[in-house]
Amino acid sequence: MKKIVVVLFLLILGCKPKEVVEKPQNLIHRDTMISILYDLSLLQSTSNHNIDTNFNKNIPAFITHKYKIDSLQFVQSNRYYASQVDDYQKMYEEVYQKVKTEILKTESGQ
């Protein structure tokens, strides 16, 4: 799990846009975006252990339904946040802390 978050983070840092991305009109709120990124990291990590090939296909539908967004809104919001490298790094640090907290809870039996 930790490896997935680190790899995603490194990919994002390596993809610095050369021009500023305009803020989309339907920007997903920062806290909601962090929750989406957290859910995506969990779902992607579990999909590696799931033999049901439809599981990966259902991840986008699950996310869009849960957060009442559409895929274009997610892509535009993610692109905008990724263009703000320092803040995007902080967002992923928050995602990592959420994952770490859940791991500690699981390990302690809570």
Side-chain angles (χ1 to χ4, degrees), residues 4-66:
I4 291 172
V5 173
V6 171
V7 168
L8 286 172
F9 178 71
L10 291 174
L11 285 172
I12 291 163
L13 285 181
C15 299
K16 276 190 186 177
K18 294 179 181 172
E19 43 189 75
V20 177
V21 175
E22 271 189 54
K23 184 176 181 179
Q25 289 181 343
N26 59 351
L27 181 68
I28 297 170
H29 188 272
R30 185 182 187 280
D31 292 337
T32 303
M33 193 68 178
I34 291 169
S35 295
I36 292 170
L37 295 171
Y38 170 77
D39 284 351
L40 284 171
S41 68
L42 292 181
L43 291 167
Q44 288 297 325
S45 67
T46 58
S47 71
N48 294 334
H49 302 288
N50 195 327
I51 58 173
D52 181 4
T53 56
N54 289 322
F55 184 79
N56 283 338
K57 294 177 187 173
N58 293 331
I59 291 173
F62 173 79
I63 294 296
T64 56
H65 177 75
K66 179 178 180 181

Side-chain angles (χ1 to χ4, degrees), residues 24 34 45-46 52 55 60 67 73 84 86 98 103:
I34 291 169
S45 67
T46 58
D52 181 4
F55 184 79
Y67 292 98
Q73 183 182 10
Q84 314 294 318
D86 292 336
K98 282 180 149 185
I103 290 171

